[in-house]
Amino acid sequence: LLLRACTARYAARGKAGDGAVLAVSVVVVAAISVSQELRTQRVLEALRDLSSPRSTVVRDGIVRRIPSLELVVGDRLVVQEGDRMACDAELLRAHGLRADESLLTGESLPVDKDSADAASRRLHAGTLLVQGDGIAVVCATGARTALGRIGGSLATIAPPASRLQAALQRLVRVVATAALVAWLF
């Protein structure tokens, strides 16, 4: 806004050349900011697509492969080796099932999962099934999962400005200072 005001002031004082240079610099800075923001949005959308796997569910007696975003509490899942869990679920049946829970617990070794053992029947969103198969029922999705609660608490942390944003802020301050000095003298 300061740069726009200075541009208008130059134009009003008859210094069209100085105003044009300032206006061009404002447009360039705005274009860089918009370009960077669009690029960031595309990257975030690509990451969202990668983090949204498909799940195999049994609905109305029919086994279907659906986008994990369509899972609802109560769905019966067919889980097997190679699946990344998109929800929290309780095992109903398991056959040699092991899960890599390092994303949640930091534990480097896969954990045995068993439907008969209350302590190990829970499957968590974000974990990778590394062995076996089973049937589970969805208990929680999205922000209500253990991973979702962690993500929610991380969302409250404000990220620092990127190097590009910091550089643009410095550039704007320098140009604004130079414009103000030039306008005063």
Side-chain angles (χ1 to χ4, degrees), residues 35-149:
S35 169
Q36 187 65 23
E37 185 68 28
L38 292 174
R39 187 171 144 212
T40 301
Q41 286 177 355
R42 283 194 303 269
V43 168
L44 288 175
E45 287 172 13
L47 286 173
R48 243 182 251 120
D49 289 344
L50 286 175
S51 66
S52 179
R54 299 183 72 76
S55 298
T56 305
V57 297
V58 179
R59 286 187 178 164
D60 301 323
I62 300 170
V63 177
R64 300 177 185 176
R65 191 106 171 120
I66 63 168
S68 295
L69 293 174
E70 295 177 12
L71 287 174
V72 294
V73 173
D75 272 343
R76 283 186 180 255
L77 292 174
V78 177
V79 295
Q80 56 192 353
E81 180 178 335
D83 286 350
R84 181 154 311 265
M85 295 299 297
C87 61
D88 284 356
E90 291 282 333
L91 276 172
L92 301 175
R93 280 188 311 209
H95 305 283
L97 194 61
R98 300 184 84 202
D100 175 1
E101 296 182 337
S102 60
L103 183 68
L104 292 174
T105 64
E107 177 64 42
S108 61
L109 297 174
V111 178
D112 291 329
K113 294 296 183 175
D114 186 3
S115 59
D117 181 21
S120 68
R121 84 169 50 131
R122 186 83 166 188
L123 297 173
H124 297 285
T127 60
L128 177 65
L129 303 180
V130 295
Q131 183 179 334
D133 58 22
I135 303 292
V137 63
V138 175
C139 297
T141 61
R144 290 176 292 285
T145 65
L147 187 62
R149 288 189 296 274

